Amino acid sequence: MKIGAPFRFASFLSLFLFLIFFFFAQNVCLAKPMNVIDKCWRRDTNWREHRQRLAKCSVGFAGKMTNNIGKGTIRYKVTDPSDDPLDPKPGTLRYGALIEGKTWITFKKNMKITLQKVLLISSNTALDGRGVGVHIEGNACLVIYKASNVIIHGLHIHHCKAQGPSSVMGPRGKIMSLGAMDGDAIRLVTASEVWIDHNTLYSCQDGLLDVTRGSTNVTVSNNWFRNQDKVMLLGHDDGYLRDRGMKVTVVLNHFGPNCNQRMPRVRYGYAHVVNNLYQGWTQYAIGGSMNPSIKSESNYFIAPQSGKKEVTWRKGVDHNSKPWTFYSVNDYFENGACFEETGKDEAKPNYDDEQKFPIAEAKTVKNLTSSAGALKCSRTLTC
Ligand SMILES: *[C@@H]1O[C@H](CO)[C@@H](O)[C@H](O)[C@H]1NC(C)=O
Ligand SMILES: *[C@@H]1O[C@H](CO)[C@@H](O)[C@H](O)[C@H]1NC(C)=O
């Protein structure tokens, strides 16, 4: 028994140290300021086992993404970073993104995926990059075309390039001919119920996110947008009247540094822009044309040191038509930033119970957006 005692002591000691480490790690995490979306899943140390719980954490116009989970959900793991647009191989992202039915896509390891052509994402698909570093770049990048119930989470998307007309494999193995693409990180075309959360988007040829052609019910949250001229376009073009019904929530994003304009630019439709951090701009932060309604609420605007201090921009104000609503409530302005309001209507989002969420004070937004962008999640602890 002389050998057993020190052994028991050693195992007791290691258990003790493990517990101390465990509680320390937990407490560090609990002390981190967490926003309303992150709180819903990031405190779960076992989030890897419960990945699909993320779907119920969305807020704003996308509502809860419950159509992405539940019975029959296919779990697909990307193991191969290569890309063949006409004949996608099993194990590649393109193959998984085209699977019919509910599909929850994860990535086996850190990888860089260089897209050869536009990547179409079909309905009921979640791209979940948590736990690894996934970089996507190349030609045209991600397009959600005539699809609904799509989650894009935890990806780095950058250096997306314009592409001429091309053919790619679409859903049900059909080859589709697509027109030219401008080179946006993510583009929605007639899409609905889309949640774009915790992605890092930068340096693309055209824009970082375009919501176009009758797309609606979209939430853009916790993303980090940087190093870009045209950041986010909501509404196709001035002639596209169907975008009158567009509803987008832009919440808890970090814009900057080095963003020029369109954070967002809105045509027609309605945008609730809330609890975002604006780290400067060159031309403007929030703007639009064609009588959109924008409610800017509890954002933190830091104007650039020199140059334009005005947050807002309007193109072609038509004084004969209904007055534009650019409404600011409880925003925080630093460095002389200013917001020119138009219209008297407060432009309420009128969220339903699934969509509404508590709005934080503008002064806390720096904290609450401090982990915007793709998260670095360790294997064992919280994200
Ligand atoms: C958008 O969401 C509303 C509910 O908030 C729903 O009534 C409407 O049908 C949705 N539109 C689309 C195109 O999904
Ligand atoms: C940000 O969060 C930290 C840690 O919770 C806290 O100490 C600090 O006071 C917060 N700052 C603001 C401006 O809220």
Side-chain angles (χ1 to χ4, degrees):
M1 293 322 282
K2 267 185 182 159
I3 296 161
F7 176 73
R8 275 202 304 275
F9 178 70
S11 54
F12 174 75
L13 186 70
S14 54
L15 177 68
F16 182 71
L17 287 176
F18 172 77
L19 285 176
I20 294 225
F21 172 71
F22 186 73
F23 283 113
F24 179 73
Q26 289 270 304
N27 284 334
V28 164
C29 184
L30 291 180
K32 245 189 332 206
M34 269 200 205
N35 64 51
V36 57
I37 300 170
D38 289 355
K39 248 193 263 194
C40 164
W41 66 272
R42 278 177 71 188
R43 285 184 177 154
D44 179 1
T45 43
N46 215 1
W47 60 268
R48 281 174 178 275
E49 302 292 311
H50 311 139
R51 280 181 179 271
Q52 293 179 28
R53 286 189 187 168
L54 178 69
K56 292 185 179 170
C57 297
S58 50
V59 299
F61 285 119
K64 303 293 174 211
M65 304 299 289
T66 44
N67 289 330
N68 286 70
I69 55 174
K71 213 167 158 244
T73 305
I74 297 162
R75 287 197 245 166
Y76 179 90
K77 194 173 275 191
V78 179
T79 53
D80 176 351
S82 74
D83 184 39
D84 183 342
L86 290 172
D87 187 17
K89 267 193 287 184
T92 60
L93 174 58
R94 191 179 293 273
Y95 188 94
L98 290 176
I99 293 173
E100 295 276 309
K102 299 175 184 186
T103 313
W104 196 278
I105 300 179
T106 56
F107 299 80
K108 185 162 195 279
K109 52 180 194 256
N110 296 344
M111 59 178 80
K112 182 168 103 178
I113 298 173
T114 304
L115 296 173
Q116 301 304 313
K117 298 269 166 70
V118 163
L119 180 81
L120 293 175
I121 300 172
S122 60
S123 289
N124 309 103
T125 298
L127 303 186
D128 176 359
R130 285 176 294 173
V132 287
V134 179
H135 288 256
I136 297 177
E137 53 167 60
N139 286 327
C141 292
L142 273 47
V143 172
I144 305 172
Y145 173 64
K146 291 190 178 165
S148 60
N149 299 294
V150 173
I151 302 173
I152 299 178
H153 183 106
L155 306 177
H156 301 81
I157 310 176
H158 48 92
H159 297 99
C160 298
K161 291 193 274 294
Q163 184 202 308
S166 64
S167 297
V168 300
M169 184 174 279
R172 289 174 294 279
K174 231 174 46 195
I175 300 298
M176 293 174 64
S177 300
L178 301 171
M181 299 284 162
D182 296 336
D184 300 310
I186 304 173
R187 184 179 185 88
L188 276 57
V189 185
T190 321
S192 61
E193 320 293 336
V194 176
W195 183 30
I196 297 168
D197 187 53
H198 272 298
N199 302 285
T200 301
L201 309 172
Y202 56 96
S203 302
C204 287
Q205 196 165 343
D206 186 47
L208 296 179
L209 175 62
D210 278 14
V211 175
T212 68
R213 291 192 171 268
S215 297
T216 188
N217 296 351
V218 175
T219 296
V220 181
S221 57
N222 285 316
N223 301 287
W224 185 13
F225 297 92
R226 61 181 165 86
N227 301 81
Q228 187 70 28
D229 173 12
K230 302 168 183 172
V231 178
M232 191 192 311
L233 179 68
L234 309 179
H236 185 63
D237 64 31
D238 286 353
Y240 202 81
L241 299 175
R242 251 184 84 196
D243 283 328
R244 279 183 183 151
M246 175 180 64
K247 290 179 173 183
V248 181
T249 305
V250 178
V251 57
L252 291 161
N253 300 284
H254 177 180
F255 295 99
N258 305 320
C259 289
N260 177 24
Q261 56 171 328
R262 304 190 176 181
M263 297 173 256
R265 171 186 176 162
V266 191
R267 287 189 176 107
Y268 302 108
Y270 175 81
H272 187 207
V273 180
V274 47
N275 283 163
N276 301 285
L277 172 64
Y278 290 85
Q279 201 182 342
W281 52 83
T282 311
Q283 282 176 264
Y284 66 90
I286 298 175
S289 58
M290 311 313 285
N291 292 13
S293 292
I294 300 172
K295 183 176 187 182
S296 169
E297 185 168 12
S298 298
N299 296 292
Y300 197 115
F301 293 105
I302 308 172
Q305 287 303 338
S306 60
K308 253 197 96 201
K309 302 286 187 185
E310 191 188 330
V311 167
T312 44
W313 171 83
R314 293 160 179 78
K315 184 184 162 219
V317 180
D318 178 359
H319 292 286
N320 298 320
S321 68
K322 95 174 181 7
W324 296 30
T325 302
F326 275 24
Y327 196 85
S328 163
V329 52
N330 298 329
D331 285 325
Y332 184 78
F333 300 101
E334 207 172 279
N335 256 352
C338 61
F339 190 111
E340 194 196 317
E341 282 187 308
T342 25
K344 292 190 186 75
D345 170 19
E346 191 188 328
K348 290 197 173 120
N350 297 321
Y351 290 132
D352 65 23
D353 287 345
E354 275 202 354
Q355 298 168 335
K356 73 175 171 222
F357 55 95
I359 290 162
E361 249 185 82
K363 281 194 179 171
T364 64
V365 162
K366 268 190 178 174
N367 259 353
L368 297 179
T369 58
S370 58
S371 57
L375 296 161
K376 281 203 186 97
C377 308
S378 74
R379 277 205 155 263
T380 47
L381 295 168
T382 46
C383 218

